[in-house]
Amino acid sequence: METPEKNMVNAGIIFMFTAWLQGQMSDLIIFKNNPNLISDFVKNPARVPPEFHSIRVSYWEKQFGPVKNEFKESFSDILTDDEKKDVEELYHLRNMIAHAHVSVGRDYMLYRPFGGERREQKLIDDLQLQPIDDQSDPMVLKIELWREDRFKHANDLIERLEQVTLKKVADSIGVPHSRIR
């Protein structure tokens, strides 16, 4: 596979995992806000209770950012600072992929952060980006998920969030993590 195609395939894999994690975060928010739904959900794995389904579908309509913010707020008492940073990094990674300029004629995709200088600075701070010589103005980021180190970093982030953070949150509210995976 050529490098541009590998970059797109890897970006697609990472993007779908971010959608998967968003669904888990949504389910956990719903159960936190509606603990009365947990028992029926847990005891009958073959059927999703109608009341839960109705709320769940409304979360499918939400963008990642609002779900991320609600998740961090709902579980702020048990999330560590590092876990909150991981959630923010996942958000940025998802946005970078979702809004990238893609070409099969080059080995990378390009992303321009949106929202002005304040949001650009938040991205720089959250991802701990270092300026490079001859930096473009406005800033543009290269996405090189064909590189093993970059792809591994994204996979490690997803694995850590899913297997540690989301499991911990699920356990804290009495939902078996395996039921929302």
Side-chain angles (χ1 to χ4, degrees):
M1 182 181 317
E2 297 292 322
T3 303
E5 288 84 3
K6 183 175 182 181
N7 199 40
M8 287 192 289
V9 168
N10 287 354
I13 291 167
I14 296 300
F15 187 81
M16 291 312 298
F17 276 113
T18 69
W20 177 53
L21 295 179
Q22 179 180 348
Q24 289 186 54
M25 288 190 292
S26 296
D27 287 354
L28 292 166
I29 294 164
I30 294 166
F31 287 128
K32 171 85 174 194
N33 295 336
N34 303 276
N36 59 304
L37 300 176
I38 295 172
S39 177
D40 285 344
F41 180 80
V42 171
K43 75 178 150 184
N44 189 358
R47 179 151 169 76
V48 173
E51 188 179 354
F52 175 73
H53 172 73
S54 177
I55 300 169
R56 183 188 247 182
V57 169
S58 73
Y59 271 82
W60 291 347
E61 298 172 1
K62 294 185 179 201
Q63 302 261 346
F64 191 93
V67 171
K68 168 207 49 123
N69 291 338
E70 190 175 350
F71 178 79
K72 285 174 51 183
E73 183 177 311
S74 295
F75 299 103
S76 64
D77 58 330
I78 64 168
L79 294 173
T80 67
D81 288 343
D82 285 343
E83 289 169 330
K84 291 174 186 175
K85 286 178 187 174
D86 281 350
V87 172
E88 287 298 322
E89 184 176 346
L90 184 75
Y91 167 70
H92 292 303
L93 180 60
R94 179 185 171 100
N95 275 345
M96 289 168 64
I97 294 169
H99 300 284
H101 183 269
V102 179
S103 171
V104 294
R106 60 177 190 258
D107 294 349
Y108 53 89
M109 295 178 279
L110 295 171
Y111 170 71
R112 168 71 189 128
F114 65 95
E117 284 184 29
R118 191 173 64 84
R119 293 206 51 189
E120 185 177 292
Q121 189 59 51
K122 180 170 177 16
L123 175 77
I124 291 167
D125 294 343
D126 286 350
L127 298 181
Q128 299 174 350
L129 300 175
Q130 301 300 316
I132 60 169
D133 291 338
D134 200 24
Q135 174 85 23
S136 62
D137 186 20
M139 180 177 84
V140 176
L141 300 176
K142 283 171 65 173
I143 304 169
E144 298 176 303
L145 291 170
W146 61 269
R147 291 179 43 184
E148 287 301 319
D149 61 327
R150 302 274 170 95
F151 188 64
K152 183 178 179 339
H153 178 81
N155 277 306
D156 290 348
L157 170 68
I158 289 164
E159 184 176 331
R160 192 169 53 249
L161 278 166
E162 205 275 327
Q163 294 182 11
V164 177
T165 305
L166 296 180
K167 182 180 183 330
K168 175 178 86 171
V169 170
D171 289 347
S172 79
I173 59 174
V175 175
H177 186 229
S178 61
R179 284 287 284 123
I180 63 166
R181 292 188 77 228

